[in-house]
């Protein structure tokens, strides 16, 4: 008796045994699968991310669709950033953006701003070039179109210290425009190659001499500078401490902003369409409508997080105060940069960074023999710096030059931090702040559902959010 075997011998050309002239001895797998029930996965989606920002933000109920942030009256005007336009190698100041200089804030004369912008001359600077020396007269104001400049001082023992760094859109020396015989309080040195536009102080004085509107602007600015304020620019609350006996106590009150900002809830919406034939006949073992809805909601939540980071009206990158933005010292995110960002606010709850930026942080720390610790958050182990979690967020953009930003923030109403805004209890609410409303069945037997989510974010005080900008994440060997 002989037993014929045919184990592990592939059929050439992809032909079945029957096509090759060989009679099959048993039922083939292709035929057998017609009677079998396959094990299936739910529909998968690559777009889904951890969405840490949605998890860690404290969500505040906004019953009226808008949230008003009341703050103490502030007299100090934070510096904004001047804009520039480039035509070939020529760089010019965008005249209306000169109002970002505190002294010119709300200045009404557009024609004079255009003339002032025309007095600015572009200058290319080289790395290490000294643009101003401490103690020397301020002859011109520098508007930085591109590059980084260090502000240098002298330490207690005569050593050179870096007081701060200025980058694209910042101004240096502008406070001297309203002063007589001003001197540079620090030296200015270029860190990188770049372009600055210099506004001669003499040209500004000449315009002020023949413009009553500009002179009035200078007087208003000087009057505001004389207001008693604390280091945050808020109206001073007069107090007395350490006195003895019967002394006359100062009287005071806390003034508020007259035009506080209101955040209206934004929304993300889409119409989900499902044919009734699909919903009726193909619902086993998974409900087709539920799976369609699940993936649609995932996409809406991803867009919600993107808007919370990038929306020009309420996104964290756009609304972060300019005085809370710093640039990296050398490009990559070094431990020094992370410490600088952390030190600018109390009770920082977490960093938010692109995953590639987190990898760059690890590389820079490893170069110094440092290894970022890990902490547990929401049942997961995440990288931390100084005990503050660094949460990944792929919604933070990366520029073509391979630079990105890292955010640090304090959260919660009680901490005067960042809060998420939403309204719950919506009609046909499916998840908190998200509703799914049946819109009917059309003449083509297609069922429609309106899927909507309402949200926003509010920064209660400016120092609740800080941004480390110009973070170079390109790999360095």
């Amino acid at each position: 008796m002989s037993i014929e075997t045919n184990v592990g011998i592939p059929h050439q050309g992809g032909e079945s045994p029957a096509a090759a002239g060989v009679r099959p001895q048993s039922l083939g797998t292709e035929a057998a699968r017609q009677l079998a029930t396959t094990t299936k996965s739910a529909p998968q989606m690559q777009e889904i991310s951890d969405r840490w920002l949605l998890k860690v933000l404290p969500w505040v109920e906004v019953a009226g669709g808008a949230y008003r942030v009341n703050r103490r009256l502030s007299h100090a005007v934070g510096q904004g950033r001047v804009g520039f336009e480039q035509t070939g190698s020529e760089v010019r100041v965008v005249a209306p953006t000169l109002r970002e200089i505190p002294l010119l804030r709300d200045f009404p004369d557009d024609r004079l701003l255009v003339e002032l912008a025309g007095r600015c001359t572009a200058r290319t600077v080289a790395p290490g070039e000294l643009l101003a020396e401490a103690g020397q007269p301020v002859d011109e104001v520098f508007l930085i179109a591109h590059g980084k400049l260090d502000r240098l001082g002298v330490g207690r023992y005569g050593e050179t210290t870096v007081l701060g760094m200025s980058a694209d859109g910042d101004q240096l020396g502008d406070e001297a425009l309203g002063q007589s015989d001003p001197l540079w309080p620090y030296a200015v040195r270029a860190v990188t190659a770049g372009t600055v536009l210099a506004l001669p102080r003499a040209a500004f004085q000449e315009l002020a001499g023949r413009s009553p509107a500009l002179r009035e602007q200078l007087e208003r600015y000087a009057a505001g500078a004389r207001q008693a304020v604390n280091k945050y620019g808020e109206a001073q609350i007069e107090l007395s401490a350490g006195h003895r006996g019967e002394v006359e106590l100062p009287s005071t009150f806390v003034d508020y902003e007259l035009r506080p900002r209101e955040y209206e809830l934004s929304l993300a919406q889409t119409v989900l369409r499902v044919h009734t034939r699909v919903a009726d006949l193909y619902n086993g073992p998974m409900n087709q409508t539920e799976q369609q809805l699940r993936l649609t909601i995932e996409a809406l939540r991803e867009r919600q997080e993107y808007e919370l980071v990038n929306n020009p009206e309420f996104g964290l990158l756009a609304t972060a105060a300019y005085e809370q933005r710093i640039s990296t010292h050398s490009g990559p995110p070094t431990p020094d940069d992370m410490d600088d960002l952390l030190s600018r606010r109390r009770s920082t709850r977490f960093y938010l960074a692109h995953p590639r930026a987190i990898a760059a942080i690890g590389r820079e720390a490893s170069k110094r023999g440092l290894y970022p610790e890990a902490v547990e958050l929401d049942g997961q182990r995440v990288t931390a710096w100084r005990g503050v979690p660094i949460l990944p967020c792929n919604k933070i953009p990366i520029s073509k030059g391979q630079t990105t930003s890292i955010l640090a923030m304090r959260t919660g109403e009680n901490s005067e931090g960042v809060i998420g805004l939403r309204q719950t209890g919506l009609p046909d609410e499916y998840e908190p702040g998200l509703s799914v409303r049946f819109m009917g069945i059309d003449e083509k037997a297609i069922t429609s559902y309106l899927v909507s989510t309402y949200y926003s974010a509010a920064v209660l005080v400016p120092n609740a959010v800080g941004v480390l900008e110009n973070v170079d994440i390109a790999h360095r060997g």
Side-chain angles (χ1 to χ4, degrees):
M1 180 179 68
S2 63
I3 299 177
E4 296 182 1
T5 60
N6 186 16
V7 180
I9 301 176
H11 298 288
Q12 300 299 321
E15 294 182 342
S16 65
V22 180
R23 182 176 180 181
Q25 303 296 308
S26 63
L27 182 66
T29 56
E30 290 186 3
R33 287 182 58 188
Q34 308 306 315
L35 302 182
T37 300
T38 59
T39 302
K40 306 175 182 66
S41 73
Q44 305 298 298
M45 183 175 179
Q46 294 187 75
E47 186 182 9
I48 297 174
S49 65
D50 289 326
R51 297 198 293 267
W52 275 110
L53 182 59
L54 300 188
K55 295 177 184 177
V56 299
L57 271 186
W59 291 94
V60 174
E61 183 71 14
V62 181
Y67 184 91
R68 179 180 299 162
V69 177
N70 289 309
R71 293 175 178 169
R72 282 177 56 185
L73 179 63
S74 175
H75 294 290
V77 178
Q79 287 188 315
R81 290 187 171 175
V82 176
F84 303 89
E85 56 185 0
Q86 183 175 3
T87 305
S89 60
E90 184 181 359
V91 181
R92 296 184 299 273
V93 179
V94 178
T97 67
L98 287 174
R99 293 188 177 96
E100 298 297 334
I101 298 176
L103 186 144
L104 296 175
R105 182 61 58 95
D106 298 326
F107 184 64
D109 193 339
D110 288 331
R111 185 175 57 181
L112 193 64
L113 289 179
V114 171
E115 187 173 354
L116 198 59
R119 302 290 183 94
C120 298
T121 56
R123 183 186 307 171
T124 300
V125 297
E129 181 178 344
L130 193 66
L131 280 73
E133 294 186 35
Q136 295 299 310
V138 181
D139 296 325
E140 51 191 1
V141 175
F142 298 116
L143 309 177
I144 306 173
H146 176 65
K148 296 180 183 179
L149 303 179
D150 269 344
R151 303 190 300 276
L152 304 176
V154 179
R156 182 176 180 179
Y157 301 103
E159 76 280 8
T160 300
T161 60
V162 178
L163 304 177
M165 180 180 291
S166 300
D168 303 5
D170 290 333
Q171 314 102 47
L172 292 173
D174 58 283
E175 65 277 357
L177 293 176
Q179 302 174 2
S180 59
D181 301 323
L183 301 177
W184 282 103
Y186 45 74
V188 179
R189 185 178 63 194
V191 180
T192 66
T195 301
V196 301
L197 278 85
L199 172 63
R201 183 168 171 271
F204 182 87
Q205 290 177 320
E206 187 270 327
L207 288 176
R210 60 182 174 85
S211 170
L214 186 53
R215 289 197 299 273
E216 292 176 5
Q217 180 77 10
L218 291 174
E219 291 173 1
R220 285 195 298 270
Y221 179 79
R226 289 192 294 268
Q227 294 282 350
V229 297
N230 60 23
K231 67 178 181 179
Y232 301 105
E234 298 169 330
Q236 187 72 46
I237 297 177
E238 298 296 337
L239 303 171
S240 179
H243 53 272
R244 293 182 180 181
E246 298 178 356
V247 299
E248 184 176 350
L249 297 178
S251 59
T252 190
F253 68 97
V254 182
D255 207 352
Y256 304 132
E257 287 186 352
L258 298 180
R259 293 187 296 273
R261 176 171 180 178
E262 290 190 353
Y263 293 83
E264 294 187 0
L265 292 182
S266 184
L267 79 161
Q269 288 181 310
T270 190
V271 176
L272 173 63
R273 303 182 187 275
V274 182
H275 200 287
T276 53
R277 179 174 56 191
V278 173
D280 291 343
L281 301 180
Y282 300 96
N283 269 339
M286 299 178 192
N287 185 294
Q288 291 281 0
T289 302
E290 287 183 0
Q291 293 300 321
Q292 289 281 304
L293 188 58
R294 179 180 67 85
L295 297 179
T296 300
I297 291 174
E298 292 284 0
L300 278 177
R301 292 301 193 195
E302 292 290 329
R303 184 53 184 262
Q304 178 182 350
E305 186 177 60
Y306 175 87
E307 293 292 320
L308 291 176
V309 173
N310 297 289
N311 188 281
E313 297 296 326
F314 59 85
L316 298 177
L317 285 176
T319 58
Y322 287 120
E323 61 267 23
Q324 295 298 322
R325 299 169 185 260
I326 60 176
S327 287
T328 58
H329 289 83
S330 58
T334 65
D336 295 336
D337 296 321
M338 299 298 289
D339 285 341
D340 284 350
L341 185 59
L342 183 65
S343 66
R344 288 178 169 256
R345 71 205 41 80
R346 59 179 170 86
S347 305
T348 301
R349 295 295 301 275
F350 59 87
Y351 294 98
L352 202 66
H354 194 281
R356 291 183 60 190
I358 297 176
I361 292 170
R363 287 198 302 268
E364 295 304 311
S366 297
K367 289 179 182 178
R368 300 193 181 190
L370 304 174
Y371 300 96
E373 58 189 304
V375 298
E376 187 168 323
L377 184 65
D378 198 24
Q380 299 186 45
R381 301 285 289 176
V382 297
T383 302
W385 181 257
R386 306 292 190 194
V388 179
I390 308 175
L391 304 181
C393 178
N394 61 357
K395 313 303 187 303
I396 298 177
I398 297 176
S399 71
K400 292 182 179 179
Q402 296 298 293
T403 61
T404 184
S405 300
I406 298 174
L407 291 90
M409 65 186 74
R410 179 177 66 249
T411 58
E413 277 188 306
N414 293 335
S415 299
E416 297 180 320
V418 183
I419 56 174
L421 307 176
R422 70 182 180 191
Q423 184 179 134
T424 58
L426 301 170
D428 302 311
E429 189 170 63
Y430 191 85
E431 292 179 358
L434 185 145
S435 66
V436 179
R437 309 188 75 170
F438 175 69
M439 296 176 62
I441 303 174
D442 65 14
E443 64 277 4
K444 296 182 180 179
I446 296 178
T447 307
S448 297
Y449 301 90
L450 175 64
V451 188
S452 308
T453 182
Y454 301 90
Y455 56 88
S456 188
V459 180
L460 300 187
V461 295
N463 69 0
V465 177
V467 183
L468 179 63
E469 299 182 313
N470 302 314
V471 178
D472 186 357
I473 59 173
H475 180 69
R476 298 288 187 268

